[in-house]
Amino acid sequence: MDHTGAMTRNDDPQALGAAEQLAAIERGAERLAATLDLSPPGTPVVTCGEWDLAKLVRHTGLTHRWAAAIVAERLTDPPDTTAIDLGFPDRDAGAGPWAEWMRQGARRLVELFSATPQDTPVWSWGRDQRVAFWSRRMAHETTMHAADAALALGQQPEISMALALDGLDELLANLARGRAFAARHEKFPRSGTVHLHATDDHLPEGTGEWMIEFRPDGYTWAHGHGKGDAAVKGPAVALELLAYGRMSPDDHRVQVFGDADALGCWLANSQLA
């Protein structure tokens, strides 16, 4: 199945069902909250520029409430962010109230998504204009920011193989419609290919390999084996962390072959969360 970067499709294969996506939101939110319970809010989050743990939690909790408003109100146009009740703790509140704010927002989001049919029409910034888009997006948004929190403390993120496989599919399906893509894609090579190859045991049939082909207006991608100008082999979780800019291609968990410049250009301009 081939996918056009500039026009992603609604039938992208998904390794996770809705229940698994919602469980990922719950796990990720709890890990973020627990990190803030145990660590100073000013702890730097090196994978998010100049952010600290407090800003990471605030961003993720705000995003949960933003997505919840879209689904709860069945919005078919972008929301008025100034009209959303974010319920921030008092300005002088310590880490505890912010951690609980994180948990409360995630619980409400999961309850709302659980009670709403996934095919309910709502606005999204992706091609998929259904609640299903937001369940999937929030699963990976929350998982990746929980990974940021773990990395900030020198820990390894806890991400399942299935979640990582779906995360890479979701990244490739939605990147082209992200707000920053129009500027970023001009930095991509005008041609060439990158092959990602997951090396995990017991991969589900039809998953674990991605061919990304650059072109003047962006990229296309497809599942399958092929010879890329650049190739990366490693566990699915490592490939996802690499694609999201949370890991270096020099990391021992991955092997890089071929045109390192083409790979570096892709990685520098392909992050979503």
Side-chain angles (χ1 to χ4, degrees):
M1 181 180 295
D2 187 85
H3 304 261
T4 302
M7 187 177 292
T8 55
R9 293 162 49 169
N10 290 345
D11 59 350
D12 295 313
Q14 295 191 32
L16 298 182
E20 295 169 297
Q21 291 168 355
L22 301 187
I25 295 172
E26 290 180 315
R27 286 194 304 271
E30 178 54 35
R31 287 169 184 158
L32 276 164
T35 301
L36 195 57
D37 280 335
L38 299 173
S39 307
T43 301
V45 180
V46 295
T47 50
C48 292
E50 298 182 356
W51 287 15
D52 56 20
L53 283 177
K55 184 161 185 177
L56 181 68
V57 167
R58 179 186 172 100
H59 165 82
T60 310
L62 186 155
T63 304
H64 286 171
R65 286 161 172 80
W66 190 71
I70 292 168
V71 173
E73 299 174 29
R74 306 292 198 270
L75 297 182
T76 55
D77 292 301
D80 176 2
T81 55
T82 63
I84 297 173
D85 181 9
L86 299 175
F88 287 140
D90 292 338
R91 182 179 297 273
D92 297 327
W98 280 100
E100 184 55 29
W101 176 82
M102 177 80 235
R103 293 183 173 102
Q104 288 175 354
R107 282 197 297 268
R108 178 171 182 266
L109 187 69
V110 168
E111 290 169 359
L112 181 61
F113 285 176
S114 297
T116 308
Q118 290 286 295
D119 60 357
T120 302
V122 294
W123 174 86
S124 83
W125 54 262
R127 184 169 175 80
D128 188 352
Q129 299 287 299
R130 303 176 300 157
V131 169
F133 171 91
W134 291 110
S135 295
R136 194 183 193 194
R137 179 84 286 273
M138 289 301 97
H140 297 299
E141 174 92 6
T142 311
T143 296
M144 198 51 56
H145 287 319
D148 290 324
L151 292 167
L153 303 185
Q155 302 169 354
Q156 287 302 313
E158 296 181 29
I159 304 174
S160 71
M161 178 184 72
L163 190 59
L165 291 171
D166 191 66
L168 281 162
D169 285 351
E170 197 257 358
L171 170 68
L172 290 168
N174 286 326
L175 173 64
R177 299 182 69 89
R179 286 179 297 178
F181 181 77
R184 287 178 184 170
H185 95 259
E186 294 296 335
K187 301 177 183 178
F188 288 167
R190 300 295 87 188
S191 63
T193 52
V194 170
H195 178 219
L196 305 179
H197 188 157
T199 56
D200 308 77
D201 294 331
H202 310 300
L203 285 161
E205 185 177 356
T207 69
E209 294 194 63
W210 300 260
M211 286 295 298
I212 304 161
E213 182 175 357
F214 303 118
R215 62 186 200 179
D217 62 343
Y219 66 94
T220 61
W221 69 281
H223 282 289
H225 185 72
K227 181 174 176 57
D229 297 313
V232 188
K233 284 188 174 183
V237 172
L239 294 179
E240 184 186 30
L241 292 173
L242 181 69
Y244 270 94
R246 269 63 177 189
M247 198 179 82
S248 166
D250 296 329
D251 192 282
H252 71 277
R253 287 169 289 181
V254 296
Q255 293 178 286
V256 177
F257 306 91
D259 188 347
D261 289 341
L263 175 65
C265 187
W266 165 257
L267 294 176
N269 296 287
S270 63
Q271 290 88 51
L272 267 182

